[in-house]
């Protein structure tokens, strides 16, 4: 597994569930929980996320921003869920993140909002469908 802080030539590190067919296929209504953290903390959080992803406690995929990002900029880990309309699954994945000690409030953002270029850094508001 790559440590995001040690990757400089690509923007993301990816991890997929070890048993990919044990989780529903991603839909156009999919999205992700966003875990924002300091560059100095991203590797520790990423290792824990990948562990519970492989245990089946999350969705099918996660990705972490790397040191390809500008120095000093916070990093993000995206933990995907297949369908934002399936609230039970969205919250199940959130509970999986709590199981590894991530208790702070996190936003869940739809892939559609990302495709539309909706980011708080661009001045957009009310982007996230869920907070938990």
């Amino acid at each position: 597994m790559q440590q995001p802080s040690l990757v400089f030539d690509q923007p993301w590190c990816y991890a997929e569930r070890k048993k990919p067919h044990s989780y529903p296929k991603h839909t156009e209504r999919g999205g992700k929980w966003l875990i924002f953290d300091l560059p100095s903390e991203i590797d520790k959080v990423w290792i824990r996320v990948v562990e519970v992803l492989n245990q089946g406690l999350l969705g099918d995929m996660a990705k972490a921003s790397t040191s390809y990002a500008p120095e000093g900029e916070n990093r993000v880990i995206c933990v995907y869920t297949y369908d934002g309309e399936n609230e039970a699954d969205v919250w199940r994945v959130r509970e999986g993140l709590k199981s590894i000690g991530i208790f702070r409030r996190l936003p869940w953002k739809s892939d559609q909002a990302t495709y539309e270029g909706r980011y708080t850094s661009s001045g957009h508001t009310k982007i996230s469908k869920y907070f938990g």
Side-chain angles (χ1 to χ4, degrees):
M1 167 185 30
Q2 291 181 308
Q3 292 183 37
S5 68
L6 300 178
V7 175
F8 296 91
D9 62 344
Q10 60 189 19
W12 300 102
C13 286
Y14 295 90
E16 293 184 351
R17 184 185 269 238
K18 283 189 177 181
K19 296 180 182 177
H21 302 294
S22 62
Y23 187 74
K25 186 176 178 179
H26 203 81
T27 70
E28 70 277 356
R29 295 177 306 273
K32 60 264 179 201
W33 288 105
L34 302 172
I35 307 165
F36 293 97
D37 222 323
L38 299 170
S40 61
E41 297 298 313
I42 200 74
D43 290 343
K44 290 181 262 187
V45 177
W46 179 240
I47 289 167
R48 295 191 330 250
V49 166
V50 172
E51 285 174 2
V52 293
L53 176 70
N54 288 327
Q55 292 170 9
L57 298 178
L58 304 179
D60 64 340
M61 190 185 97
K63 68 180 182 181
S65 58
T66 67
S67 291
Y68 185 85
E71 189 172 329
E73 190 173 287
N74 277 350
R75 305 293 187 258
V76 64
I77 295 173
C78 304
V79 178
Y80 287 86
T81 64
Y82 81 100
D83 189 334
E85 298 300 313
N86 185 336
E87 290 187 30
D89 184 65
V90 170
W91 292 109
R92 180 194 64 77
V93 171
R94 179 64 185 103
E95 289 301 312
L97 294 171
K98 287 181 181 178
S99 77
I100 57 170
I102 302 174
F103 293 104
R104 65 183 176 268
R105 193 169 145 115
L106 302 178
W108 184 94
K109 181 180 178 184
S110 72
D111 292 339
Q112 185 63 41
T114 300
Y115 301 146
E116 293 170 358
R118 296 175 60 208
Y119 295 90
T120 55
S121 62
S122 302
H124 294 96
T125 59
K126 299 183 180 179
I127 300 167
S128 300
K129 182 172 181 176
Y130 305 108
F131 282 97

